[in-house]
Amino acid sequence: MTTAAGTEEKIKAAAREIFLKKGFAATRTRDIAEHADINIALLNYYFRSKEKLFQQIMMETLSTFFGSLLQIFMDRESALQTKFEQCASQYIDLIKQQPDIPMFILSELRAQPEAFVQSIAGNARLKDLVIYEQIVAEMDEHQQKAFDPVHIMINVMSLTLFPFVARPMLQTIGAVNPSEFDDLMEKRKQLIPQWIMEMLK
Amino acid sequence: MTTAAGTEEKIKAAAREIFLKKGFAATRTRDIAEHADINIALLNYYFRSKEKLFQQIMMETLSTFFGSLLQIFMDRESALQTKFEQCASQYIDLIKQQPDIPMFILSELRAQPEAFVQSIAGNARLKDLVIYEQIVAEMDEHQQKAFDPVHIMINVMSLTLFPFVARPMLQTIGAVNPSEFDDLMEKRKQLIPQWIMEMLK
DNA sequence: GTCTATAACGTGATAGAC
DNA sequence: GTCTATCACGTTATAGAC
């Protein structure tokens, strides 16, 4: 019952790093074990199987990814533009620290269509969010009803997350070089809210 | 030497479908063979190895994906807004037919950082494109120099491609339901160019 | 709890008959 | 060209000693 100093967490840290980088199928338990300075037997002792370990990592990652966002979206006090600013700023900071998160979630969610549905949703549907009401109100005020408000939500996510997801491609086609990518994203913290507000007018 | 009626193409079609859906690591040659109604031996007879087959699929996919785009971007006759319209329209049509293309390219490009560099780039760097010049000119005209023109290129791609990439996630969080997704993307053919032009003012 | 050794299995690839 | 049968290997998972 007595767990050696942080062994379990050490394994999880290694698993997180490798799963996030290579995805479930391309990851070998050997790599995780080696990276955590233990052996495969111990990995299975703690987590029973590669699959179980993966699910745990996935759940925690989803929680990190959606958790902070949900608070912003449900705040009844803050103005709409403030929400967009917080959202862009917070996401860009989070993903700078763990750049593989978006790609990981998107690609593993594609592979396992239904496995994680209840862990994400279950609670809130998009149209129940405070931010969604605010978008609708803002569009009404400008007699702007030319399109579905869902586009706005999609755009916030697109403009924020896509650059991280597409980073290898963007570098390959020479759109950005590695050193200036961070500055570019820093600047987008300010630009994205502006662009989005403009779309509502 | 005599190839049986379309066997090679039949295998490639099956490989394309499965590789695009599951990626290299998660795909088994057995699945491809079964799907093509042949056996593994024949697959290796034609393509020597899983890796070789994959590379062929990848090259063709990259060519499909970037080929048509490059023509639009290099056209000296068409106006900037026209380019954005063509780009959004053409891409959305293309990806509607093969919805897995963007995710496939992005995730496999991450896995194989340098393998396909020369096949994509080699020819044109972003800043040599006609469209890039036009964006710079348009921003000058509006005394709009508040940000790097590269943001605009990134935004076109983000707004167009991200919804496809994030489709499983968007459905999971109840942002869109499967039946209305196509309509949403159809509408974006018109919206994206408008949004982008607005950003330049 | 942690290790070594090994079992059990799945996968990519080939040999050889037709 | 296409098949069946099989090999060779890598991987996950477990048994059992410490």
Side-chain angles (χ1 to χ4, degrees):
Chain A
M1 233 10 163
T2 350
T3 297
T7 299
E8 182 168 350
E9 188 47 50
K10 202 170 60 175
I11 298 174
K12 268 168 64 173
R16 186 157 33 238
E17 183 175 333
I18 300 182
F19 276 140
L20 286 190
K21 194 175 298 173
K22 315 215 292 179
F24 178 80
T27 295
R28 289 170 307 208
T29 51
R30 282 178 157 76
D31 292 343
I32 296 175
E34 187 183 350
H35 201 272
D37 267 315
I38 51 101
N39 55 48
I40 316 179
L42 202 54
L43 185 154
N44 282 285
Y45 171 78
Y46 278 102
F47 297 95
R48 305 235 351 126
S49 75
K50 177 189 179 183
E51 183 102 23
K52 289 267 201 303
L53 174 56
F54 176 79
Q55 286 188 2
Q56 210 163 320
I57 299 295
M58 175 57 110
M59 293 302 176
E60 293 177 14
T61 305
L62 285 175
S63 165
T64 302
F65 188 76
F66 287 105
S68 54
L69 199 63
L70 204 59
Q71 289 179 4
I72 297 173
F73 284 175
M74 290 305 284
D75 187 346
R76 294 215 161 266
E77 308 301 320
S78 64
L80 186 55
Q81 176 153 9
T82 309
K83 283 191 174 61
F84 292 139
E85 287 163 0
Q86 290 175 331
C87 177
S89 176
Q90 192 162 322
Y91 252 119
I92 287 170
D93 283 339
L94 171 69
I95 300 171
K96 267 188 178 175
Q97 288 167 37
Q98 303 195 47
D100 291 317
I101 286 188
M103 194 66 213
F104 172 73
I105 291 179
L106 292 175
S107 65
E108 298 301 320
L109 212 62
R110 173 185 61 152
Q112 312 245 350
E114 67 295 329
F116 306 100
V117 173
Q118 82 283 16
S119 62
I120 306 177
N123 320 326
R125 297 249 129 193
L126 185 77
K127 293 184 181 178
D128 301 328
L129 298 173
V130 172
I131 192 175
Y132 187 84
E133 296 171 25
Q134 289 177 305
I135 291 172
V136 173
E138 185 75 17
M139 288 177 81
D140 277 358
E141 196 161 318
H142 294 85
Q143 280 84 37
Q144 161 75 278
K145 299 191 176 183
F147 57 87
D148 190 325
V150 166
H151 284 290
I152 296 296
M153 296 299 295
I154 293 177
N155 292 356
V156 176
M157 287 195 269
S158 301
L159 294 172
T160 308
L161 298 178
F162 188 79
F164 289 102
V165 173
R167 183 173 181 169
M169 188 181 82
L170 292 172
Q171 290 182 188
T172 299
I173 64 177
V176 297
N177 63 55
S179 66
E180 71 191 14
F181 184 84
D182 275 7
D183 293 341
L184 219 67
M185 291 313 299
E186 208 55 41
K187 179 73 173 173
R188 285 177 85 85
K189 287 184 187 176
Q190 171 212 332
L191 289 172
I192 290 172
Q194 288 176 10
W195 290 328
I196 296 289
M197 289 306 288
E198 203 60 41
M199 292 176 190
L200 293 174
K201 285 181 189 159
Chain B
M1 227 19 156
T2 348
T3 297
T7 299
E8 182 167 351
E9 187 48 50
K10 203 170 62 176
I11 297 174
K12 268 168 67 172
R16 188 158 30 239
E17 182 173 336
I18 301 182
F19 276 140
L20 285 188
K21 193 175 298 173
K22 316 217 292 180
F24 178 79
T27 294
R28 289 171 308 218
T29 51
R30 285 179 154 73
D31 292 343
I32 296 175
E34 188 183 348
H35 202 272
D37 267 315
I38 50 99
N39 55 47
I40 317 179
L42 202 53
L43 186 153
N44 282 286
Y45 171 77
Y46 277 103
F47 297 94
R48 303 228 356 122
S49 76
K50 176 188 180 185
E51 184 101 23
K52 290 269 201 299
L53 173 56
F54 176 79
Q55 286 187 2
Q56 209 162 321
I57 299 295
M58 175 56 110
M59 293 303 174
E60 291 177 15
T61 306
L62 286 175
S63 166
T64 302
F65 188 75
F66 287 105
S68 55
L69 199 62
L70 204 59
Q71 288 179 3
I72 297 172
F73 284 174
M74 290 304 284
D75 187 346
R76 295 214 161 268
E77 308 301 320
S78 64
L80 186 56
Q81 177 153 7
T82 308
K83 282 191 175 62
F84 291 140
E85 286 163 1
Q86 289 174 332
C87 177
S89 177
Q90 192 162 324
Y91 251 118
I92 287 170
D93 282 339
L94 170 69
I95 299 171
K96 266 188 178 174
Q97 288 167 37
Q98 302 195 46
D100 291 317
I101 286 189
M103 194 67 212
F104 173 73
I105 291 179
L106 292 174
S107 64
E108 299 300 322
L109 212 61
R110 173 185 62 153
Q112 312 246 350
E114 67 295 328
F116 306 102
V117 173
Q118 81 284 13
S119 61
I120 306 177
N123 321 326
R125 297 248 131 194
L126 184 78
K127 293 184 181 177
D128 301 328
L129 297 174
V130 172
I131 194 176
Y132 188 83
E133 295 171 25
Q134 288 178 305
I135 292 172
V136 173
E138 185 75 16
M139 288 177 80
D140 277 359
E141 196 161 319
H142 293 86
Q143 279 85 36
Q144 161 75 278
K145 300 192 177 184
F147 57 86
D148 190 324
V150 166
H151 284 290
I152 296 296
M153 296 300 294
I154 294 178
N155 292 356
V156 176
M157 287 194 270
S158 301
L159 294 172
T160 308
L161 298 178
F162 188 80
F164 289 102
V165 173
R167 183 172 181 169
M169 189 181 81
L170 292 172
Q171 289 181 188
T172 300
I173 64 177
V176 297
N177 63 56
S179 65
E180 71 192 11
F181 185 84
D182 275 7
D183 293 341
L184 220 66
M185 291 313 298
E186 208 55 42
K187 179 74 174 171
R188 285 176 85 82
K189 287 184 187 177
Q190 170 211 334
L191 289 171
I192 291 172
Q194 287 177 11
W195 290 327
I196 297 289
M197 290 305 288
E198 203 60 42
M199 293 176 189
L200 293 174
K201 286 182 187 157

